[in-house]
Amino acid sequence: MMHGPIDTARIAAAEQAALRAEAARRRMDAVTHVILVLAVALFALPIWIALMGSTHDPSVIGRGEVPLLPGGQAIENYLTALGEGSVRTSRVPVGRMLF
């Protein structure tokens, strides 16, 4: 079956419309992914800062510094929190509260 000039023009227009729709969908997917990545980063940043701050000396946090990399006192800080507690709080160790 042969197509006339009108049918060929309609087919070409439909193909172009489909290509434009596909390009628009891909752009929208990219925008959606960028928004999702930014939202995850926004949610995770405070958790990351808290975890990294817990590995530093308390004086670092007391000076208002915001560490983004781990410090060298993680084990000491966690053992103190689990076994001894803090002078500024009720001094009840976290280990006793957990078990």
Side-chain angles (χ1 to χ4, degrees):
M1 181 170 148
M2 293 185 58
H3 297 287
I6 295 175
D7 292 337
T8 305
R10 282 186 190 164
I11 292 171
E15 288 175 351
Q16 287 179 353
L19 289 174
R20 283 193 303 272
E22 179 68 20
R25 186 186 63 79
R26 286 188 180 173
R27 279 191 303 273
M28 195 58 153
D29 284 350
V31 169
T32 302
H33 281 88
V34 167
I35 290 171
L36 286 173
V37 166
L38 290 175
V40 167
L42 184 66
F43 178 78
L45 184 63
I47 296 169
W48 178 259
I49 290 173
L51 286 174
M52 294 305 104
S54 71
T55 65
H56 286 268
D57 183 67
S59 65
V60 172
I61 304 300
R63 287 191 304 265
E65 296 177 16
V66 180
L68 295 177
L69 298 174
Q73 293 193 323
I75 294 174
E76 181 182 333
N77 290 346
Y78 296 147
L79 288 177
T80 301
L82 286 172
E84 298 173 24
S86 173
V87 175
R88 288 180 232 139
T89 61
S90 64
R91 189 138 177 92
V92 177
V94 174
R96 187 180 304 161
M97 288 187 244
L98 289 174
F99 302 107

